[in-house]
Amino acid sequence: MPETSVTRPPAARIAIGTPLRVLAWLSFLAEVIIIGTGGAVRLTGSGLGCSEWPLCTPESLVPVYELQGVHGLIEFGNRTMTGVVGLLALAVLLLTLHATGGRRLVIRALWFALGGVLGGVAVYAATAPLGLPSAGLMSAVLLLAVIVGAVDSLRRTDVRRDLAVLAWIVLAGVMAQAVVGGFAVLTELNPFIVGFHYTSSLLLVCVTAAFLIRLRTDPGPRVRGVPSWFAVLTHVTGLALAVTILFGVLTTGSGPHSGDAAVVRDGFDATVLAHVHSWPGYVLAALVAVLTVSAWRLRLAPRNWLLLLMVAIAVQVGVGVWQAREGLPPLLVGIHMVLASLSAATYTAVVLRLKKPAPGAADGV
C-alpha cells in the first residue's frame, strides 16, 4: 500500500538520532558504574552507612558526617548514582518512544508518570501517619504506574517494538532495584538480598547492552546465521557463565566482605565455595575458547565479540586467582565484580549475533 502522510515509515527507516545513541551508551556505562559503587559500599564496610531508607538517617535525607563518617558518604554516593541511572533510563525511554511513535507516545507516557507520582504521594500521605512502610508503598505505586504505562505504550507501538520493550525494562528495573536496595538496608544487609541486588544490576547491564546492539541491527524477521551446533554450544556457554556468577555471588556473601563488620554471613564455607566457583569458571573459559576459534575459522558473525569475550574471561580468571592468593583484597574483588558484568554484557552481544536478517525480508517490527 502506498505510504501516506499519516502512515508510519517502515521500521528500518525510523530516525535514531545521535542523542538517543549517546544517552543509550551513557545508560550502559552508568549501569556498569553503579555496580562499581555498589561494590565499594560493600567492600569498604559501608553497607549500613545510611541506616534508613529512603532517608539516610531518621531525620535527614543526606548523611550527617559526624554520625556516619566516610561510610555514610560512600553509601549515599551509591544512592545518588541510582538517581543518575534512573534519569538516564527515563531519557532513553522518552527518546525511544519519540522515535517509534512520535509525540503521542511520549505524552501518554508522561501522563502515566504524573499519575504515578500523584498516586505515590497520596499513598505516602495516607500511610505515614499510620506507621506503615509508606516509602515502600509509594515506590510500589510508582513501579505499578511504570508497568501499566509500559503495557499501554507497547500496545500502541507497531514499529521497533524491540527497542521500546528494552527501554521500558530498564526503567522498571532501575525503580525495582531502588526498592531492593532499600530492603537490603532494612534487613541489615541480608546476604541473599544483597546478592540478588547485585545479580539484578548485572542483568540490567545486559539489557542496556542489548539495547545498544539492537540500535545497530536492522529490524524484521531473522534467521539463524550460525550452524546449529554452534548456537547450542553458545547457549551452554551462557549456562556456564550464569553458574559461575551465581557461585561468585554466594562466595562473596560468605566471605569477609559482607558490607558491615556486624553482618552475619550466609552460613556457607567461603573456602569451599571459592573452589566450587572456580570450576565452572574454567569450564566457561574453555567453552569460550572453542567458540572463538570456531567462529574465526568459519568466519561467523559473532567472532569479534567472542574474541572480546575470551579476553574478558581470561582477565577474569587471572584476577580471580590473584585475589584468592592475596586474601581477597577489596580492590581486586571490586574489579572482579565489574568484569563479571562486562563479561555478561559481551556474551549478550554474542547471542544477539547468532541470527541475521532473513533474505528478502520486508521491513517490520
Side-chain angles (χ1 to χ4, degrees), residues 14 16 20 89 92-101 105 146 149-172 207 211 214-215 365:
I14 284 179
I16 298 176
L20 177 55
V92 169
L93 172 65
L94 293 179
L95 287 176
T96 301
L97 294 181
H98 188 270
T100 59
L105 283 184
V146 169
V151 172
D152 174 80
S153 175
L154 294 175
R155 289 180 60 188
R156 300 170 186 274
T157 302
D158 51 12
V159 290
R160 292 318 306 260
R161 189 177 288 113
D162 57 333
L163 296 178
V165 167
L166 292 171
W168 277 111
I169 288 175
V170 173
L171 181 61
V207 177
F211 187 90
R214 293 297 296 173
L215 275 180
V365 178

Side-chain angles (χ1 to χ4, degrees), residues 215-263:
L215 275 180
R216 299 173 59 86
T217 303
D218 291 335
R222 301 176 66 78
V223 296
R224 193 176 69 240
V226 299
S228 57
W229 65 264
F230 188 92
V232 170
L233 190 60
T234 300
H235 293 300
V236 172
T237 302
L239 178 61
L241 176 62
V243 172
T244 302
I245 292 172
L246 172 62
F247 279 106
V249 170
L250 292 175
T251 302
T252 304
S254 60
H257 304 298
S258 61
D260 189 88
V263 172

